[in-house]
Amino acid sequence: MADSFPLLYRRPRLLASIVFLLCLALSTQVVWNLEQNHRHNLRADMENIAQNHAFLLRDSLRQALTLNYSMATLVRLSQGQTTAFEAVARDMLPYYDSVSHISLSPNGVISQVYPLEGNEKSVGFNQLADSAQNKEALRARDSGQMTLTGPVNLVQGGTGVVARLPIMVDEQGSSRFWGFGNVIIRVNRLLETANIQQLNSQGMAYKLWRTNPFDNNQEVIAVNAPEHLHDPVHKSFDVPNGEWTLSMAPISGWVNWWRLTSEIMLALVLSGLLGYQTFLMAKLQRRKINLQTAVEEQTRELLNARAQLQATLDAIPDLLFEISADGVIHNFHTHRPELLLLQPEAFLGKKINDVVPARISALIYSTMEETSQQGFASGKYYSLQLADGRHEFELSAACKAVSPGAHKHFVMISRDITERRLAEEELRVAATAFEAREGMMITDPDGVILRVNKAFSEITGYSAEEVIGQNPRLLNSGHHEPEFYANIWHTIIHEGSWKGEIWNRRRSGEIYPEWLTITAVKNGCDQITHYVSTLTDITERKENEARINNLAFFDPLTQLPNRRLLQDRLEHAIAASERKNTLGALLFIDLDDFKTLNDNRGHHIGDLLLVAVANRLRMAVRAQDTVARLGGDEFLVVLEDLDSNHDHAAAIAQQIAETILESLNAHYTLEGQDYFSTPSIGISLFGDRLVHIDELLKQADQAMYHAKAAGRNTWRFFDPEMQEHTAQRFALQHEIREALQLQQFQLFYQPQVDHTGAIVGAEALIRWFHPQRGMVSPLEFIPIAEESGLILPLGNWIVEEACQQLVRWSQNPTTARLVIAINVSARQFQQQQFVMQLLSILQRTGANPRYLKLELTESMLVHNQQDIIAKMDELKNHGIKFSLDDFGTGYSSLSYLKRLPISELKIDKSFVNDILTDSNDAAIARMIIRLAQSMELRVIAEGVETQTQRDWLEAEGCVHYQGYYFGKPVAAADFPL
């Protein structure tokens, strides 16, 4: 019976608690549903009340606003004459209780007010010029629609709203803005007409508000008990120029706490009563079951005791004799008759000294005497020669209870310990070997540790007392999966032993590698009796191996795989793609402008950035992908097993590339300073065609350069056209070097004029006259020069040539004051020696620095602003001017603009082109001119091609121009003087 009800009646308190909790949960759900229904009904009632009052407010407001339309009709019918205003207002105003006063504002200036008393100060007020009201007034005038403004504080006291209606009069067949009709409505009277005040007596909190159409801020018109407006209902209605909202909530809140508390207490009482009743029933049933179980158990124990006694006798493998005090053998028991000297019928009933040698019989008698005195005896040993050899025996004895007056009887057990003696000798030998340098551990078949040696304690940190009786699992490091240990035990069971490398945990928590050998010890029945383990700490060996492996296969700075390991993994990835018929991808990542960081902030900062990039790359890719450092600021990512479909594989590679871009675009904090870096990524797929690793690397590298050519901070896939483009690019680099040596470059000069048309300077523009290709566009060779570094010698040539031209012009009074502007690349300006080189050229050529102007683009000012500003300040101190080129197309941050020592802003021609047709371009150009004027900077517009463009710019305040309308770029000899 007890087994039938183990869970119901063994723990009555638990059962009662479960019943209590179930009842409480059900009651809670019922209470919750009741409260939700009540809250829903209360909100529905509140919404109806809010809707009724909102409609009353809307109707009252509309009635008051009709007065404005009447005033507008009066003005239009009288063609703007308002002599009848006061009479009409006097007749109509009494019918509008909520209206405080009305007024007329010809051209936005209030001229007539009724009633005038108390409103004298408003006469002459210009609504269009007042900063507080002109937004609403202008909105009403421009839209032709009535606007409703408020709340406002009235001169007579209290709060009101102003309805402003623009009045248009007909004049010569067209409509003309005459002015405004104004109606001022008292809020308190408006609330009275809508019966809002009665909400106070009904215990309701309310708020009447509107959203300001200009700043979207909430403006409160009327409110009571705002602290009680929790989760209110809202009813909105349209008004001129916006929307009013009436929000309402009960002051006492949405929940009746007295009712809720009583419902909860009732639920608790009912649940407690049911739980207590269950507890009493369970205890009664358990007591009944316990009584039945006790009777059955006692009966079973009696039967088991008898059976156990017989089983114990049958299980004893030793010789068992019953001998009386006079030495007579009365009974015996054994399962090993080969240990008897005689057959049982030959010694039963006979004295012991008649059947065994005298020395043994003497031992038996002395044992019986000791047993008689102490009640038991043990530890008596003798040897006996039997048919199969000499055997060692251990004798023990105990007194047997007999009837009073009878001879004492003794139960004597003779145990064959021959094998034990041999084992003890072997153990003594093994004990010496046990304390060797290798750690040793012995467990029983269940894995319980029986013994460990000193070396084990030295290796693991556990003393013998701490581990004996424990399971070797206490050494588990968690480094291996369960399958690893399952394979170990499978090998031990089937092969008898296992040896190999394993990671375990010391007592200190340190995880370490060890060489472990486990051997199963079996008895004669082929049963495992023990497991013997030997273990050796191989930490030092592993560290040496890891150190050698790390030096051979990993980058020492970032700990990423180096080129050697990458090649191995890439070979594996290509082979796996061919075997699985799937595609992979190789991503070639190069950090943009990394050399600038190294040159300006030092190589240790560059190393910090490389480490940070490596960490972000690890986080951005999948677990099966490989991130490697090729060298410098170049990284490679091998993406494996993307997809069998080419388009799908490309999409996955693109997604990962975009993830990398996003990760690497985040700011870096290097030694307390923020730094931004962007990557260019080239992508080459593999697996759909046979390709050598070197060729794959070359393809990804070419794709990366196309990403740089596309503006950097982006990715590009490799396609065969890239190879041709790359070849052309390298050929063009070679031709640029030859052109510098052969002096194929020439500077052209485009005039810069003022508003009178007088030439005040020129911009120096480089031209390349190729002997075979003719004129080569700067758009074609300048980007190649930037990427290859040839921009540095080319830029120095431009500076020197421009300075020499300044010297030549200085000898002619007509051109002596002309300023030459030259464009300086970011790479050129960021050189540490740029200032020194430029000053050296000026000194060598003799050019006047006051007539040299350097044009810088906004993009070059994003990074290393402190260094750039310092260089500009130093050059400015020598008289050199600076112009900010292409202003408005790039970074355009006023925070750096105010710090730069520039003297001129240059409006980009992309704004000038459509300045007459595109309002946005016109607005930007106008903003640049205003900004320059406010900062006392000169402004010049480039790309001016028509007279109308020039006139528009002059009208806006720009008086310096450059463009084809004034002259194309020409050689110095053809420059107009």
Side-chain angles (χ1 to χ4, degrees), residues 357 359-360 363 381-386 390-393:
R359 58 183 178 82
I360 296 177
L363 179 64
Y381 301 95
Y382 67 91
S383 61
L384 188 63
Q385 185 67 38
L386 300 178
R390 180 167 291 276
H391 285 248
E392 297 283 339
F393 293 90

Side-chain angles (χ1 to χ4, degrees), residues 139 146-148 210-213 237-244:
R139 184 186 184 99
M146 180 186 294
T147 62
L148 190 63
R210 75 157 191 162
T211 301
N212 190 300
F237 55 91
D238 294 331
V239 299
N241 193 38
E243 182 180 80
W244 283 13

Side-chain angles (χ1 to χ4, degrees), residues 555 557-558 589-591 594 598 606-607 609-611 629-635:
D555 173 51
L557 176 63
T558 63
I589 304 170
D590 183 87
L591 302 183
F594 178 74
N598 260 350
D607 289 346
L609 177 63
L610 293 175
V611 173
R629 182 187 178 202
L630 195 60
D633 61 341
E634 296 176 338
F635 296 85

Side-chain angles (χ1 to χ4, degrees), residues 61-100:
L61 187 61
R62 287 180 178 176
Q63 180 184 8
L65 296 180
T66 58
L67 181 58
N68 222 343
Y69 291 105
S70 299
M71 293 296 101
T73 302
L74 173 65
V75 173
R76 283 196 292 269
L77 291 177
S78 62
Q79 290 297 313
Q81 300 298 320
T82 60
T83 56
F85 165 74
E86 184 173 355
V88 173
R90 185 185 309 111
D91 293 339
M92 297 185 67
L93 189 61
Y95 296 100
Y96 300 89
D97 293 337
S98 60
V99 175
S100 170

Side-chain angles (χ1 to χ4, degrees), residues 430-431 433-442 449 451-457 459 532-536:
F434 190 71
E435 296 299 333
R437 292 184 60 187
E438 292 183 333
M440 298 192 70
M441 174 177 64
I442 300 175
I449 299 175
R451 188 177 179 186
V452 297
N453 67 353
K454 183 179 179 181
F456 173 91
S457 298
I459 293 173
V532 178
S533 303
T534 60
L535 50 108
T536 304

Side-chain angles (χ1 to χ4, degrees), residues 829-832 835 867-875:
F829 199 85
Q830 289 169 357
Q831 287 186 100
Q832 292 184 352
V835 174
D867 179 66
I868 290 175
I869 293 173
K871 291 178 179 177
M872 294 176 68
D873 286 336
E874 185 175 355
L875 292 174

Side-chain angles (χ1 to χ4, degrees), residues 692-709:
H692 192 268
I693 290 178
D694 291 339
E695 183 64 24
L696 185 62
L697 288 169
K698 181 179 178 182
Q699 292 174 359
D701 183 47
Q702 292 175 0
M704 182 272 295
Y705 274 105
H706 272 258
K708 283 188 176 293

Side-chain angles (χ1 to χ4, degrees), residues 32 37 42 49 184 222 258 321 482 534 553 661 754 850 888 928:
W32 171 257
N37 289 334
L42 184 58
I49 295 172
I184 293 79
W258 289 106
F321 297 94
T534 60
F553 297 105
L661 280 175
D754 61 13
R850 293 188 298 122
I928 296 174

